[in-house]
Amino acid sequence: MSDDMIRLRAMQLGLFETPVTHGQLIDCDALNADLLRAIRQRRAADAGVTRSNVGGWHSTTDMLDWGGRSAQRLAEAAVRIAKRMSHFEDRDAASLDWSVRMWANVSPPGALNISHAHPGVLWAAVYYVDMGDDGANSAGASGALYLEDPRFPVPMMTFPGFRAVGLDQQPQAPERNFPTVAGDIMVFPGFLRHGVRPHRGGGDRLSIAMNIYVKEAP
């Protein structure tokens, strides 16, 4: 050690974490079959819209109006997760007015979702109904949801290729891939940019996306 080198004692902290829940609905076969029927019926009657999807069919965001009781149950499950991830000063999460906008995505082979965020939305969620691969290599064949580090663009503009070192002493990746299977549900902040890798299965992948909102109760 050089005689003029400053000695120091330091501890690295991990601050400002981004909460994400990756869960699995238990005994979801009947629920998924019901959701699958509703989505197919709606797709046959409505051309849908184009949002982040490249290829495939994106329903309008009123699935709670046509998805039946199974869609309502799914929304309730997503809100339960969101409530566990939420804290509100001077009030209980159960005392607030929670609402959901829901839509379906049908992705044929090659379809994907470009990176995007949901401005003005407290929590976003996605649920996987059918991976479109006949159960073979479901996590790999059907693409993966990816979440982008919301801090990443600023240091990247300062010095391309920069990575901060995490608590595990490894460089932090600018994004995280989440392979998924039927019955999986992901809940994450609406501000978090995300997308879906190209679908590589042989059939249509069906997923349901949700925006979760909170306001003062009437």
Side-chain angles (χ1 to χ4, degrees):
M1 180 182 294
S2 171
D3 290 340
D4 61 354
M5 184 176 290
I6 296 175
R7 301 179 64 188
L8 62 86
R9 181 181 294 111
M11 179 175 64
Q12 183 175 343
L13 305 175
L15 301 179
F16 310 120
E17 67 180 22
T18 302
V20 175
T21 290
H22 185 180
Q24 170 78 201
L25 299 193
I26 308 301
D27 299 327
C28 61
D29 290 347
L31 178 78
N32 289 348
D34 197 31
L35 292 169
L36 180 61
R37 283 192 296 270
I39 293 170
R40 286 177 171 169
Q41 290 173 2
R42 184 67 175 185
R43 186 186 183 191
D46 191 285
V49 298
T50 299
R51 294 291 188 266
S52 67
N53 55 309
V54 178
W57 178 78
H58 182 306
S59 80
T60 52
T61 61
D62 56 351
M63 186 174 173
L64 286 177
D65 294 334
W66 51 264
R69 176 57 186 155
S70 290
Q72 295 282 346
R73 292 176 61 204
L74 177 59
E76 291 165 2
V79 168
R80 287 203 308 271
I81 295 172
K83 286 180 178 179
R84 290 200 297 267
M85 299 168 70
S86 301
H87 170 78
F88 302 92
E89 292 186 358
D90 303 322
R91 69 201 69 193
D92 184 359
S95 69
L96 299 173
D97 183 15
W98 294 74
S99 61
V100 174
R101 297 289 291 177
M102 175 185 286
W103 61 97
N105 287 288
V106 179
S107 301
L112 57 90
N113 290 80
I114 62 174
S115 175
H116 63 288
H118 297 189
V121 176
L122 192 63
W123 297 102
V126 60
Y127 177 72
Y128 292 87
V129 179
D130 189 323
M131 304 309 293
D133 53 17
D134 299 325
N137 191 25
S138 58
S142 294
L145 174 73
Y146 64 90
L147 305 177
E148 298 180 10
D149 184 341
R151 308 161 300 175
F152 180 65
V154 174
M156 189 67 174
M157 288 186 291
T158 304
F159 196 103
F162 167 82
R163 302 286 187 275
V165 174
L167 292 179
D168 60 0
Q169 300 306 306
Q170 298 300 311
Q172 296 182 337
E175 60 188 32
R176 173 77 178 272
N177 291 320
F178 290 89
T180 49
V181 298
D184 275 9
I185 185 169
M186 299 280 301
V187 181
F188 49 90
F191 67 78
L192 202 61
R193 292 188 64 85
H194 57 284
V196 181
R197 304 296 182 199
H199 174 42
R200 300 304 185 192
D204 289 340
R205 181 184 63 216
L206 279 74
S207 61
I208 295 172
M210 290 166 272
N211 284 342
I212 302 173
Y213 303 90
V214 181
K215 64 181 180 180
E216 295 285 357

